């Protein structure tokens, strides 16, 4: 058999469109492998590996930052086969996400996202030892801890209880995911307090068990359907900030529990997962005051935008909001809340052409169901966990440590003199 073609450093640099020193940087990051040339002078590179890296690094010029070396690894465009967003619709593995949510529940949609195989009626169950460890860890937190605090701690405890967590084979990762998601839900404290009656772990769909952690009211089938639909619709949304953090962690070959922890850490920012809580407070204020006009006016007077409106990826109404509002419209008890939400949109639309987004729809669900303001954030985090796992599975198949953009240094020009020590205060 003939040996595959080998390239010199100069030839590899030309194919990649970079400087020779950048080729060696790729080697140090594990993106390329090199071999000493015959005679010991210079390095050689496998042509097929170089061409594969060139294809991965190739992206539209409009995505590149000014001053970024051509072909340098970056995060401008990441290949994914999970979610496609197109104008006013979005798709999971090519299937309309809204249509999928109307037909199937969260666990079924998660399996579809992970494997491309639909398993009707599938249910996720937390292992007893894992759930026990997660509950003990969550119970040790202060009473004022938020939902993402509890979810992060539960994920860490679940990781510690799984000695096989470092196995990154697809089968092992899927096994961890099917155990982790119900552990996150069942480790949360019941909304009605420690003495409240709650569904047994593994009893029914995940949405029913999550409801008992969000509201002390008994849900009817229509309300559970809204929650389950929200979980499906929120399962993924392309490369949002938390998903990008997940891809970076998976690129470094972090195990799936650590990958989810990376997503939860990013999710806690007020511009991402916590946005529905702001919409909840705003919507509750409109209901209390009887009209959106004074509440919108107060919001704008303080220089803040109206929460729950507009989305950079949708020129019209967020399709996730459309579907959730449609389902809530069939629940009589939600009518006042829906009226307040429409009042917010109509009042704001007099001057700014903004539409409701999924945060306002989540707020309508949480307010009408008597849930706390952070309920939407909890729903978002639990739902998105399955999407993060899907992205981790994709990233594990890519070259490790590829998520390493090149920094553009703009500090003082070196070499600078050593800094002088600051005298100690008297």
């Amino acid at each position: 058999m003939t040996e595959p073609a080998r390239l010199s450093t100069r030839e590899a640099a030309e194919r990649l469109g970079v400087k020779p020193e950048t080729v060696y940087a790729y080697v140090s990051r594990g993106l390329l492998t090199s071999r000493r040339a015959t005679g010991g002078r210079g390095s050689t590179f496998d042509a097929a590996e170089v061409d594969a890296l060139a294809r991965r690094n190739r992206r539209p010029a409009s995505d590149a930052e000014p001053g970024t070396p051509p072909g340098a690894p970056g995060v401008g465009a990441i290949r994914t086969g999970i979610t496609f967003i197109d104008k006013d619709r979005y798709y999971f593995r090519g299937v309309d996400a809204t249509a999928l949510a109307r037909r199937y529940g969260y666990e079924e949609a998660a399996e579809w996202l992970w494997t491309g195989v639909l398993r009707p009626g599938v249910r996720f169950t937390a292992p007893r030892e894992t759930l026990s460890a997660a509950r003990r860890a969550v119970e040790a937190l202060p009473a004022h801890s938020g939902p993402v605090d509890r979810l992060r701690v539960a994920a860490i405890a679940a990781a510690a209880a799984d000695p096989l967590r470092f196995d990154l084979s697809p089968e092992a990762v899927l096994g961890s995911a099917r155990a982790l998601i119900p552990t996150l839900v069942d480790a949360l404290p019941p909304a009605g307090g420690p003495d409240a009656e709650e569904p047994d772990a593994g009893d029914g769909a995940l949405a029913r068990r999550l409801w008992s952690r969000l509201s002390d009211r008994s849900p009817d089938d229509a309300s559970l359907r809204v929650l389950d639909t929200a979980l499906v619709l929120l399962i993924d949304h392309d490369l949002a900030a938390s998903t990008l953090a997940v891809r970076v962690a998976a690129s470094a070959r972090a195990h799936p529990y650590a990958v989810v922890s990376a997503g939860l850490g990013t999710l806690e920012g007020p511009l991402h997962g916590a946005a529905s809580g702001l919409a909840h407070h705003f919507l509750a204020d409109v209901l209390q005051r009887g009209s959106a006009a004074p509440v919108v006016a107060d919001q704008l007077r303080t220089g803040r935008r109206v929460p729950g409106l507009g989305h950079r990826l949708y020129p019209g109404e967020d399709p996730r909001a459309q579907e959730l509002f449609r389902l809530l419209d069939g629940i009589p008890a939600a009518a006042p809340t829906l009226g307040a939400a429409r009042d917010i949109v109509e009042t704001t639309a007099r001057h700014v052409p903004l539409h409701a987004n999924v945060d306002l729809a989540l707020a309508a669900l949480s307010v009408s169901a008597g849930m706390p303001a952070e309920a939407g954030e909890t729903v978002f985090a639990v739902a998105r966990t399955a999407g993060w796992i899907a992205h981790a599975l994709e990233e594990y198949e890519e070259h490790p440590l590829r998520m390493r953009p090149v920094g553009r240094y703009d500090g003082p020009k070196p070499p600078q003199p050593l800094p002088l020590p600051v005298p100690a205060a008297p």
Side-chain angles (χ1 to χ4, degrees), residues 407-422:
R408 192 174 62 225
Y409 179 75
D410 64 355
K413 185 177 180 179
Q416 293 286 319
L418 286 173
L420 297 175
V422 177

Side-chain angles (χ1 to χ4, degrees), residues 56-152:
R56 283 202 302 273
N57 290 342
R58 195 174 296 125
R59 55 180 176 146
S62 59
D63 286 343
E65 290 289 337
T68 301
V75 293
I78 297 174
R79 180 179 55 200
T80 176
I82 299 171
T83 300
F84 174 64
I85 300 174
D86 183 31
K87 297 178 182 177
D88 60 348
R89 310 303 301 168
Y90 71 116
Y91 305 84
F92 295 150
R93 291 187 176 272
V95 175
D96 186 283
T98 301
L100 189 71
R102 288 180 179 178
R103 184 76 178 270
Y104 298 103
Y106 175 69
E107 290 110 316
E108 295 162 325
E111 288 286 343
W112 167 251
L113 214 62
W114 295 338
T115 67
V117 176
L118 196 65
R119 298 174 57 202
V122 65
R123 293 288 179 262
F124 298 158
T125 304
R128 183 176 302 175
E129 291 185 3
T130 302
L131 178 57
S132 178
R135 281 178 167 169
R136 289 196 303 270
V138 169
E139 289 167 0
L141 291 173
H144 64 266
S145 301
V148 177
D149 294 326
R150 296 188 174 101
L151 292 172
R152 280 208 310 264

Side-chain angles (χ1 to χ4, degrees), residues 123-190:
R123 293 288 179 262
F124 298 158
T125 304
R128 183 176 302 175
E129 291 185 3
T130 302
L131 178 57
S132 178
R135 281 178 167 169
R136 289 196 303 270
V138 169
E139 289 167 0
L141 291 173
H144 64 266
S145 301
V148 177
D149 294 326
R150 296 188 174 101
L151 292 172
R152 280 208 310 264
V153 167
I156 293 170
D162 183 2
L164 303 180
R165 63 187 180 277
F166 297 104
D167 184 349
L168 301 186
S169 64
E171 296 79 9
V173 172
L174 289 174
S176 297
R178 294 175 184 126
L180 173 60
I181 293 175
T183 297
L184 295 179
V185 171
D186 294 337
L188 293 173

